[in-house]
Amino acid sequence: MKKIHRLLICCILSPLFAAPASAQMFYNAGTGFDSTGSSSYGGNSLHPAAEESSGSQEEEPYEKIVAKEIRERIRADAAYIVGEPEETLCYGIARKSPKKRSATIDGYAHTGNCGSLNETGMTEVQSKLFSAASYDMNVTKIASCVTTPRLALRFRKGFDFVDVILSGGNCPAVLFLYGGDTKEFSAKPIKDWLDTFIEAVSKD
């Protein structure tokens, strides 16, 4: 009788120990990571596998929008997002007082929302902010003046995003923030455009 009892226990417990632990309790089937390590939500690959294997050297759409000199400085991942965003949100910002507790965006005080860019706004912004002619490309770190951040444009693609900080006035500058990196651009060539754009958006 004892042998039969032990045999039954073994039959019941052995499948539990033999089968590998399942992680499906933590996600729905079909929404996890695939074998390449990218999420089925969208992934981080800039080029689909089929395009990579084809060996095609044709210029990507975002490469036609973001100048090569800018792409090289802000990284290809960031250029891909700002060149082909799903939406671009706009926020009013200002330097944050360390004594005040308030909502922040990239460490700046959040002063308001200015909506999202429409097609016309996107075309205008991309033509100015992603052209090498808009910047003094010899300047990689702005040290000659103090910037006054006024607007943050958040270029979003899937769950990834790049924040572009606009500063006008006496120290015109554009900062690209992505993946913990900040790339500064001296924007003296588009000083008037920056002031006009910031003022118009801030009043709207």
Side-chain angles (χ1 to χ4, degrees):
M1 191 69 181
K2 288 183 179 180
K3 290 183 178 180
I4 295 174
H5 184 63
R6 288 175 185 169
L7 182 61
L8 286 173
I9 292 174
C10 288
C11 290
I12 292 170
L13 295 179
S14 60
L16 296 178
F17 290 105
S22 173
Q24 287 192 354
M25 68 178 74
F26 300 111
Y27 63 88
N28 294 323
T31 60
F33 285 77
D34 60 26
S35 60
T36 64
S38 63
S39 169
S40 59
Y41 177 76
N44 294 320
S45 175
L46 298 184
H47 307 282
E51 291 184 11
E52 288 181 355
S53 62
S54 68
S56 173
Q57 297 298 316
E58 187 176 342
E59 202 173 35
E60 294 287 333
Y62 78 93
E63 292 176 326
K64 298 176 182 178
I65 295 172
V66 185
K68 180 182 178 182
E69 299 90 333
I70 295 174
R71 296 199 311 267
E72 289 175 347
R73 191 181 292 185
I74 69 174
R75 292 165 42 187
D77 288 3
Y80 171 61
I81 295 167
V82 299
E84 300 178 45
E86 292 175 6
E87 69 173 344
T88 301
L89 302 172
C90 175
Y91 304 99
I93 57 172
R95 291 199 177 276
K96 184 181 180 298
S97 169
K99 296 181 180 180
K100 292 183 179 180
R101 286 187 175 181
S102 61
T104 62
I105 294 178
D106 298 313
Y108 300 106
H110 175 223
T111 61
N113 300 325
C114 36
S116 59
L117 295 181
N118 58 24
E119 188 174 344
T120 301
M122 178 64 70
T123 301
E124 176 71 8
V125 163
Q126 288 181 330
S127 69
K128 293 293 185 181
L129 300 185
F130 308 148
S131 169
S134 296
Y135 306 111
D136 181 350
M137 296 300 293
N138 294 320
V139 178
T140 58
K141 188 74 175 176
I142 300 171
S144 60
C145 57
V146 178
T147 61
T148 306
R150 294 283 304 280
L151 291 180
L153 299 178
R154 176 160 291 181
F155 294 80
R156 185 189 67 78
K157 192 173 185 68
F159 51 78
D160 213 354
F161 64 87
V162 176
D163 285 344
V164 178
I165 308 300
L166 306 185
S167 301
N170 296 326
C171 193
V174 175
L175 281 62
F176 288 77
L177 283 66
Y178 176 72
D181 290 339
T182 300
K183 300 301 180 183
E184 300 180 359
F185 291 81
S186 174
K188 288 183 179 179
I190 56 169
K191 177 188 182 306
D192 293 341
W193 181 87
L194 268 179
D195 288 339
T196 302
F197 181 79
I198 291 171
E199 190 68 20
V201 173
S202 298
K203 285 182 176 180
D204 193 10

